[in-house]
């Protein structure tokens, strides 16, 4: 079972990770909302831009906010949480044809 799903099914929410929870926290820069330069951060998945990937890290407070947004989206069936269909290259002259790559983390934040 995916961590947090049982709590969610009962109407509760799992606790977000914190710096003394046994996860691999490191000192670094938070890539999310606060932008703190030197704090304890946890790897939350790869960020993909134009085919290049970089490791994405977030601090405890930002992970808590992200988790709250994700659970809210799941509870309300927010359509913006569903992945957009991939754009196909245009065959029209001068068509953009840019292919968008989705970011998918293979680690559960729960």
């Amino acid at each position: 079972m995916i961590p947090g799903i049982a709590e969610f099914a009962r109407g509760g929410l799992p606790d977000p990770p914190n710096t003394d929870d046994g996860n691999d926290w490191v000192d670094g820069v938070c890539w999310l909302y606060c932008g703190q330069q030197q704090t304890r951060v946890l790897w939350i998945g790869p960020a993909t831009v134009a085919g290049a990937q970089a490791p994405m890290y977030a601090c405890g407070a930002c992970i808590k906010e992200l988790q709250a947004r994700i659970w809210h989206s799941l509870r309300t069936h927010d359509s913006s949480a569903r992945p957009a269909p991939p754009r196909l290259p245009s065959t029209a002259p001068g068509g953009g044809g840019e292919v968008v790559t989705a970011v998918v983390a293979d680690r559960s934040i729960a």
Side-chain angles (χ1 to χ4, degrees), residues 7 15 32 46 51 56 62 99 110:
E7 292 90 351
D15 292 330
L32 288 180
M56 189 168 191
C62 288
V99 177

Side-chain angles (χ1 to χ4, degrees), residues 12-101:
L13 296 177
D15 292 330
N18 59 56
T19 57
D20 61 355
D21 63 6
N23 283 312
D24 295 327
W25 293 83
V26 296
D27 292 323
V29 176
C30 178
W31 284 36
L32 288 180
Y33 315 109
C34 72
Q36 291 185 65
Q37 294 299 306
Q38 286 300 315
T39 189
R40 299 294 288 167
V41 292
L42 182 63
W43 180 80
I44 60 171
T48 303
V49 176
Q53 280 193 351
M56 189 168 191
Y57 291 86
C59 70
C62 288
I63 291 173
K64 183 177 180 179
E65 174 65 23
L66 178 61
Q67 178 177 313
R69 292 179 186 206
I70 291 169
W71 287 116
H72 178 266
S73 176
L74 291 171
R75 282 186 168 157
T76 61
H77 304 289
D78 183 1
S79 62
S80 66
R82 294 186 195 101
R87 290 180 43 195
L88 299 176
S90 173
T91 57
E98 182 177 329
V99 177
V100 177
T101 302

